[in-house]
Amino acid sequence: DTGVSQDPRHKITKRGQNVTFRCDPISEHNRLYWYRQTLGQGPEFLTYFQNEAQLEKSRLLSDRFSAERPKGSFSTLEIQRTEQGDSAMYLCASSSLNRGDYEQYFGPGTRLTVT
Amino acid sequence: GQQVMQIPQYQHVQEGEDFTTYCNSSTTLSNIQWYKQRPGGHPVFLIQLVKSGEVKKQKRLTFQFGEAKKNSSLHITATQTTDVGTYFCAGERGSTLGRLYFGRGTQLTVWP
């Protein structure tokens, strides 16, 4: 499977705990995006990387959220001191600018439930 | 909050009827993309429109980008049960290229 993969697919955690999600983009894609989606809403932009550089971060993203893409390949999204409002589907997507192709390919998502 | 407005939120049609969803932005977009998300699935890219007034067709789907590059529409002719899902528009602005602003989506239900 050469698509975008995310791990884990589901995560249940208690309020106050830290969680980390991983995204593996399509191998030749240089851009990687993180979104959050709640029921009945469209994906909400969190941040994106071009290679290893984090180019933009949403103002909606509190200091509890951090993302990395150390080698320009996979990425991690960490949420510290989780709150119930963090419960959502976290989607990762990747794209390639090299071909002038702006299509974003989404992974299956990580569903986070904070109890 | 949502930077791109999309209506209607829900649409229920009988198979064979047409369907249209509309997308509107308060600011000019550099391009607009459309995605489809099946129940339990993830968004899947359908098309990108870049030029003012552009119209593109994919079989029964027709996509339009407004002259002012602030609005767009997706029209499906003669819906089929396989069209079920949520359709999202997503706009990109020149000042924040790479960042997509998604609409809330239109959830389409088709009954046989």
Side-chain angles (χ1 to χ4, degrees):
Chain A
D1 184 10
T2 58
V4 178
S5 61
Q6 292 186 245
D7 183 71
R9 295 291 302 276
H10 303 273
K11 179 70 176 178
I12 300 174
T13 191
K14 293 184 178 180
R15 188 175 52 190
Q17 297 295 306
N18 299 343
V19 294
T20 300
F21 309 141
R22 176 180 171 125
C23 171
D24 286 89
I26 293 172
S27 59
E28 66 268 24
H29 283 184
N30 50 11
R31 280 203 170 178
L32 186 149
Y33 311 81
W34 285 99
Y35 294 88
R36 177 173 64 188
Q37 186 176 28
T38 53
L39 195 63
Q41 301 292 326
E44 181 180 33
F45 173 84
L46 294 177
T47 188
Y48 86 94
F49 294 84
Q50 182 162 313
N51 299 314
E52 65 274 8
Q54 187 172 18
L55 295 188
E56 189 169 352
K57 185 176 176 180
S58 168
R59 289 177 300 191
L60 298 172
L61 215 62
S62 73
D63 290 342
R64 297 185 297 108
F65 287 71
S66 62
E68 294 182 344
R69 195 184 184 197
K71 298 181 180 179
S73 55
F74 73 92
S75 176
T76 58
L77 176 69
E78 181 183 16
I79 309 174
Q80 297 181 328
R81 305 181 302 282
T82 52
E83 302 171 356
Q84 286 189 323
D86 297 331
S87 295
M89 176 71 84
Y90 289 83
L91 294 165
C92 174
S94 69
S95 69
S96 171
L97 286 184
N98 296 336
R99 301 176 299 164
D101 181 1
Y102 294 97
E103 173 181 350
Q104 294 189 18
Y105 296 79
F106 282 82
T110 295
R111 182 168 295 284
L112 173 66
T113 302
V114 182
T115 62
Chain B
Q2 296 289 341
Q3 304 288 336
V4 174
M5 305 303 296
Q6 191 172 353
I7 57 169
Q9 188 174 352
Y10 304 97
Q11 188 77 53
H12 307 279
V13 300
Q14 190 163 17
E15 191 171 22
E17 292 182 339
D18 293 355
F19 159 76
T20 305
T21 173
Y22 302 89
C23 188
N24 188 63
S25 169
S26 57
T27 60
T28 302
L29 301 171
S30 61
N31 67 82
I32 195 155
Q33 300 179 22
W34 285 90
Y35 289 79
K36 177 183 179 181
Q37 186 172 25
R38 293 182 183 274
H42 56 272
V44 175
F45 176 82
L46 294 177
I47 208 160
Q48 177 181 268
L49 304 169
V50 179
K51 299 176 183 177
S52 169
E54 188 169 16
V55 178
K56 286 188 176 180
K57 292 189 176 184
Q58 287 180 349
K59 297 183 180 178
R60 295 177 295 104
L61 278 61
T62 301
F63 304 84
Q64 293 187 329
F65 199 11
E67 293 290 340
K69 300 183 74 173
K70 288 186 176 182
N71 59 285
S72 182
S73 65
L74 158 59
H75 179 81
I76 302 179
T77 304
T79 55
Q80 300 175 358
T81 54
T82 53
D83 294 327
V84 164
T86 301
Y87 292 84
F88 294 100
C89 62
E92 195 172 21
R93 299 175 181 169
S95 58
T96 55
L97 283 176
R99 176 175 179 166
L100 282 179
Y101 295 86
F102 277 81
R104 193 173 182 177
T106 296
Q107 185 176 321
L108 174 64
T109 304
V110 181
W111 72 81

